[in-house]
Amino acid sequence: MKNRHTAVRMFSTSITENAGTAPAKISDQVEAAVMSGGLSRVADDPETLVLSGTQGKGQGAKDAWCLSDRPTEFKSMLHRFTTPFEIHRGSDLPSRVADNMLWLGRYMERTEGMLRVIRSVLMRVHSETQLNKVSEMPFFLRVMANLDIVSSGLGRPDASFSVSLIEKELYASTRGMGWRFMDMGRRIERALHMITVMTSLIQGNTVPDSSDLEAVLEVADSRITYHTRYRTTLHMEPLVDLLLLDEINPRSVGFQLAALYSHLETLPKPQPFPFRTKEEKIILDLTTRLRLADTQELMILGKKHVLPNLDALLKKTE
């Protein structure tokens, strides 16, 4: 403990008679209100106390509080009500959010009900179905017409219908333009995801071992497909074919590109166009690269990269 030089910085504010009602004027009566406390600064050298913000050896700063000999008056910036306060009980859910949640629930339930009807119809409709033998089919058609799943004409008692017509109506009602764009987004992300996984597999300095290949199949949700198809130990070549080139595997890059091209062909065009669009050309180019790829060439070992041909194909596809 030792004595040091101390300085207390006080803080005050001016108060005018019309404070809060009009802009302050020079002629207004001004009073000063001093805060009950301040900032205490200590230093070994008294010269440093007049310099704001300096801090060095033997210096410091603390808040200073003034003690009162009696209880202080409670002060608050909160508004004090002079009339009886209206009590509210409930959540703070905004009306706009509540309205959106209400309609979300209605749309979800409406969609589920429509899907239940469609599922029941599809269970009865296939290429060998004789619709005149399905006694409940007129009922299902009336229900679907009333739910706007199919055109109202199919719900009439004298309507003529066939399996192909029903399938066309059902698929047209559940797979509109919005669904196509959503599925295109899914296909793009799934293809990019698989390309990233395959790129990560060959980024090591050695050829991937069986544990790496098993991990890739697990991530790609294709373990059962691989073992069912090949019934052998894990090898790099069939794995690349399954996850990159195979267009019938729903998890492969090739499958996603083929689905994307199919969607692009059905998108509306502003005017009849005899040539493929720019987007169609891009997908067609990528699809052709995969279709022309040879798995044996992709397995050729290199010096800088473990599998340079595969690495180059993945980079061109991403």
Side-chain angles (χ1 to χ4, degrees):
M1 297 291 292
K2 67 176 182 179
N3 295 328
R4 287 189 291 180
H5 299 279
T6 304
V8 179
R9 179 180 297 172
M10 308 296 291
F11 300 92
S12 63
T13 182
S14 62
I15 303 176
T16 60
E17 292 182 353
N18 60 356
T21 60
K25 301 178 182 178
I26 298 178
S27 59
D28 292 335
Q29 295 294 328
V30 178
E31 296 181 0
V34 181
M35 294 179 59
S36 301
L39 177 67
S40 298
R41 301 186 67 237
V42 295
D44 293 333
D45 183 3
E47 297 294 332
T48 61
L49 292 176
V50 299
L51 300 177
S52 177
T54 60
Q55 197 80 355
K57 185 177 181 180
Q59 302 181 36
K62 292 290 184 180
D63 289 333
W65 295 80
C66 298
L67 300 180
S68 175
D69 56 356
R70 62 181 183 275
T72 58
E73 180 184 358
F74 175 78
K75 295 181 179 181
S76 175
M77 297 294 292
L78 295 177
H79 176 67
R80 292 189 178 184
F81 290 93
T82 57
T83 59
F85 186 69
E86 184 180 356
I87 302 298
H88 295 281
R89 291 183 180 179
S91 64
D92 296 328
L93 184 66
S95 59
R96 177 178 57 83
V97 177
D99 183 70
N100 291 339
M101 296 302 293
L102 170 69
W103 281 103
L104 176 62
R106 291 191 60 177
Y107 286 136
M108 289 176 60
E109 188 64 25
R110 185 181 304 177
T111 302
E112 181 180 350
M114 295 170 66
L115 290 176
R116 289 180 181 275
V117 175
I118 293 174
R119 181 185 62 181
S120 299
V121 173
L122 292 179
M123 290 174 58
R124 293 166 168 81
V125 174
H126 50 81
S127 59
E128 299 179 358
T129 301
Q130 298 181 14
L131 294 181
N132 58 343
K133 300 291 182 66
V134 183
S135 59
E136 65 272 25
M137 188 56 64
F139 160 73
F140 280 119
L141 290 175
R142 290 196 303 271
V143 172
M144 290 192 296
N146 291 332
L147 292 175
D148 293 327
I149 300 175
V150 298
S151 58
S152 59
L154 288 179
R156 297 199 310 265
D158 58 343
S160 59
F161 49 84
S162 62
V163 172
S164 60
L165 179 59
I166 293 175
E167 288 181 339
K168 181 180 179 180
E169 290 266 350
L170 289 179
Y171 291 137
S173 63
T174 59
R175 295 186 176 182
M177 198 58 63
W179 175 87
R180 289 195 180 277
F181 277 98
M182 180 192 71
D183 196 64
M184 287 170 64
R186 293 185 60 201
R187 301 306 169 190
I188 293 173
E189 285 300 320
R190 185 172 290 188
L192 291 175
H193 172 76
M194 188 53 58
I195 292 172
T196 302
V197 171
M198 297 299 295
T199 302
S200 304
L201 179 65
I202 63 175
Q203 280 181 335
N205 297 324
T206 59
V207 177
D209 56 22
S210 59
S211 60
D212 293 332
L213 302 183
E214 187 72 32
V216 170
L217 288 174
E218 179 182 347
V219 171
D221 196 22
S222 298
R223 179 187 294 172
I224 296 178
T225 304
Y226 180 93
H227 291 293
T228 302
R229 179 178 299 181
Y230 297 106
R231 299 184 182 276
T232 183
T233 57
L234 297 177
H235 297 280
M236 188 67 180
E237 185 175 346
L239 181 138
V240 169
D241 179 74
L242 178 66
L243 300 183
L244 186 62
L245 310 179
D246 188 1
E247 294 186 12
I248 65 174
N249 178 21
R251 295 291 176 177
S252 73
V253 177
F255 183 95
Q256 316 313 320
L257 294 180
L260 279 171
Y261 187 79
S262 176
H263 286 316
L264 289 174
E265 283 186 317
T266 61
L267 292 181
K269 298 177 177 59
Q271 57 186 2
F273 193 65
F275 306 105
R276 290 185 174 91
T277 63
K278 178 182 178 181
E279 293 77 11
E280 289 175 338
K281 291 180 180 179
I282 294 175
I283 298 300
L284 182 60
D285 176 66
L286 296 176
T287 304
T288 304
R289 290 178 185 272
L290 293 184
R291 290 175 177 175
L292 296 179
D294 189 322
T295 55
Q296 293 184 357
E297 293 182 359
L298 296 178
M299 293 301 105
I300 296 177
L301 297 176
K303 297 181 180 179
K304 185 178 180 180
H305 299 286
V306 178
L307 299 170
N309 294 337
L310 178 58
D311 182 67
L313 180 61
L314 291 173
K315 288 181 178 179
K316 292 178 181 178
T317 310
E318 66 182 0

